[in-house]
Amino acid sequence: MAMERLVVIGGDAAGMSAASQARRLKGPDELEIVAFERGHFSSYSACGIPYWVGGDVPERDDLIARTPAEHRERAIDLRMRTEVTEIDVPGGRVRSRDLETGTETWTGYDKLVIATGARPVRPALPGIDAPGVHGVQTLDDGQDLLTTLDSVEGRRGVVVGAGYIGVEMAEALLKHGFEVTVLNRGEQPMATLDPDMGRLVHRAMDRMGITTVAGAEVTKILTGENGRVRAVATEDAEYPADVVVLGIGVEPETTLARAAGLPLGEYGGLLTDLAMRVRGHDNIWAGGDCVEVLDLVSGRERHVALGTHANKHGQIIGSNVGGGYGTFPGVVGTAVSKVCDLEIARTGLREKDARAVGLRYVTATIESTNSAGYYPGAGPMTVKMLAERRTGRLLGVQIVGTDGAAKRVDIAAVALTAGMTVEQMTTLDLGYAPPFSPVWDPVLVAARKAVTAVRREGI
């Protein structure tokens, strides 16, 4: 029997997790593995880039889990600075280009893994490609931004967008001594939260000295005589800028997949089955930020770009490619972030998500503290909970607070995955000691209030 060849497109979390897991199950005499990565780095934490740029992580290499050399030692032929430019599905091959030499090569595959990740949303605005305008998705992007921050003379930074990336990058610029303005198209930052919870983030950013402009629709990037960015223009104002960071969000990088005729979903991500196999193609798998996944709460497909999912996808793909078995059932939409000392978390559905899928719901919002109120250093915490109106099924939780607030969302993530009601949540046996929690944990207080709301609304 001829040896099979696995080709992997993408050398970060999903792709190299898949390659490594497949190699654990099948040796070099059974399975040849060839991986292509167009950047300079492999297997790194993209989620850690804002903290490296901001100085919390001292060295770039601290974000790298496994180098290309380490992958090659495991008999994975990882070809760096090599971009795949075409997938020939009928022919079972991919075309790649060496970015250093320009040489193009066709490589055949028996099994293919697509892990092309996501790309920063970069609207087609005048001046968007000017020097000094940065998207931040890869280590190469982070290095380019740091080079600009260290070399630019002025200290005025503008962040376009106030989602997770935008808020984290605003903090990073602040730590570099920049005067920071965030231009947000919405009324409140963090559109992944309901507006009432986003307002808490807005207030905290104000206290930190970050200027947040609501309802700001960027129309163009203005440049100086040297061609570099000098300002960001909206419909009614100009904001001086020596550096601009795009924090509008990301979208699936599925240019290759689209050209190859592979199935894409509503958000432009690849569609797979539970085994992460591309639908309709027995020998092609996909994982990470380039795919859409099932939302277990709403029952719809969605795009969630997170390293946690990408690594899980890779493990499952590698197991299936290597002769084992694994499935990825879906997500509940858990995400956490921080801006300075404020922690932000959400899981499940927002109010508009619930309305979009036709769910009737109640809400409960409580204010508490992250430890016993009398314990030194106790800080504020706000918890918002959504429950289905008739059944009391938990639908979503949002938390904004100080130390210890964000990871409390994991309680809700487990409850959502288990399909618990808010009444069932009130009896959860959570850990308690004054340094860590009030006697009634804030999540349980919110659950009790949600139970009251469900009973009051009735049918």
Side-chain angles (χ1 to χ4, degrees):
M1 182 177 178
M3 182 169 61
E4 290 187 318
R5 176 185 288 156
L6 167 65
V7 167
V8 178
I9 307 174
D12 198 11
M16 298 319 294
S17 291
S20 297
Q21 178 66 4
R23 174 56 74 228
R24 292 186 191 100
L25 297 176
K26 284 193 173 182
D29 56 336
E30 298 178 279
L31 180 68
E32 179 187 1
I33 303 177
V34 179
F36 298 96
E37 168 55 45
R38 63 186 179 186
H40 292 88
F41 309 97
S42 67
S43 299
Y44 59 86
S45 171
C47 299
I49 293 173
Y51 307 106
W52 164 46
V53 173
D56 296 307
V57 178
E59 300 292 338
R60 179 193 66 201
D61 289 355
D62 292 338
L63 300 180
I64 299 174
R66 188 167 289 167
T67 66
E70 290 171 325
H71 283 299
R72 292 177 189 128
E73 288 172 2
R74 297 169 60 85
I76 297 172
D77 181 6
L78 175 53
R79 303 176 187 179
M80 302 299 294
R81 299 291 292 150
T82 306
E83 181 176 17
V84 173
T85 58
E86 182 181 350
I87 302 171
D88 175 11
V89 174
R93 59 180 187 163
V94 301
R95 179 162 60 185
S96 62
R97 180 173 66 245
D98 186 313
L99 297 178
E100 305 294 343
T101 67
T103 303
E104 294 195 343
T105 307
W106 283 100
T107 304
Y109 64 81
D110 299 291
K111 297 176 179 179
L112 176 67
V113 174
I114 302 173
T116 43
R119 60 177 177 266
V121 174
R122 203 175 185 97
L125 298 174
I128 195 73
D129 295 320
V133 180
H134 295 266
V136 184
Q137 180 66 16
T138 67
L139 277 189
D140 293 282
D141 295 336
Q143 188 63 70
D144 290 343
L145 175 58
L146 272 175
T147 299
T148 295
L149 297 182
D150 292 339
S151 61
V152 71
E153 292 183 5
R155 309 311 282 174
R156 298 167 300 182
V158 172
V159 178
V160 180
Y164 285 105
I165 297 171
V167 168
E168 290 171 352
M169 292 312 304
E171 178 182 357
L173 294 182
L174 201 66
K175 290 182 175 180
H176 276 270
F178 278 73
E179 177 186 330
V180 183
T181 300
V182 177
L183 303 181
N184 183 30
R185 187 167 58 181
E187 289 306 309
Q188 300 296 343
M190 302 299 292
T192 52
L193 304 177
D194 286 323
D196 53 341
M197 297 296 281
R199 191 174 300 116
L200 301 177
V201 180
H202 194 162
R203 291 173 186 165
M205 293 171 70
D206 286 345
R207 290 195 299 269
M208 296 163 193
I210 297 171
T211 301
T212 304
V213 182
E217 186 77 41
V218 174
T219 56
K220 57 184 173 180
I221 307 295
L222 303 176
T223 57
E225 293 181 358
N226 60 0
R228 290 188 57 82
V229 61
R230 68 170 179 85
V232 179
T234 64
E235 293 177 346
D236 52 11
E238 290 184 9
Y239 299 89
D242 301 296
V243 63
V244 173
V245 178
L246 303 178
I248 308 170
V250 298
E251 55 193 6
E253 177 49 271
T254 49
T255 306
L256 287 172
R258 185 183 298 276
L262 299 176
L264 305 180
E266 177 183 352
Y267 301 96
L270 277 155
L271 297 177
T272 70
D273 60 18
L274 290 175
M276 304 306 300
R277 184 182 283 106
V278 173
R279 295 178 190 176
H281 297 270
D282 289 341
N283 65 335
I284 303 177
W285 288 260
D289 294 353
C290 65
V291 305
E292 295 183 17
V293 293
L294 177 65
D295 185 311
L296 297 174
V297 186
S298 70
R300 295 185 176 181
E301 303 286 340
R302 61 182 295 190
H303 179 239
V304 182
L306 275 179
T308 53
H309 305 322
N311 279 284
K312 291 171 188 171
H313 294 169
Q315 287 287 312
I316 290 161
I317 292 169
S319 294
N320 291 323
V321 167
Y325 178 69
T327 61
F328 186 78
V331 303
V332 294
T334 308
V336 297
S337 186
K338 65 180 284 292
V339 53
C340 295
D341 63 348
L342 186 76
E343 299 184 1
I344 307 156
R346 57 76 50 94
T347 189
L349 307 182
R350 300 164 295 179
E351 290 194 49
K352 72 175 185 179
D353 300 325
R355 290 193 296 268
V357 295
L359 287 168
R360 300 173 70 191
Y361 63 90
V362 298
T363 68
T365 302
I366 64 98
E367 294 181 0
S368 184
T369 53
N370 57 358
S371 59
Y374 56 80
Y375 192 83
M381 183 187 309
T382 302
V383 181
K384 179 176 182 177
M385 189 168 288
L386 275 70
E388 192 171 16
R389 182 172 176 181
R390 184 173 182 179
T391 67
R393 177 172 66 105
L394 179 67
L395 296 179
V397 171
Q398 299 163 40
I399 304 175
V400 175
T402 51
D403 187 41
K407 287 297 285 179
R408 270 185 168 85
V409 81
D410 290 342
I411 303 167
V414 173
L416 281 169
T417 304
M420 295 179 70
T421 66
V422 288
E423 187 161 9
Q424 289 171 327
M425 289 182 67
T426 63
T427 60
L428 287 173
D429 184 12
L430 304 183
Y432 162 68
F436 305 107
S437 171
V439 171
W440 279 92
D441 189 272
V443 172
L444 300 190
V445 176
R448 290 176 67 183
K449 189 171 181 179
V451 168
T452 300
V454 169
R455 290 174 178 169
R456 183 176 60 246
E457 293 294 330
I459 296 176

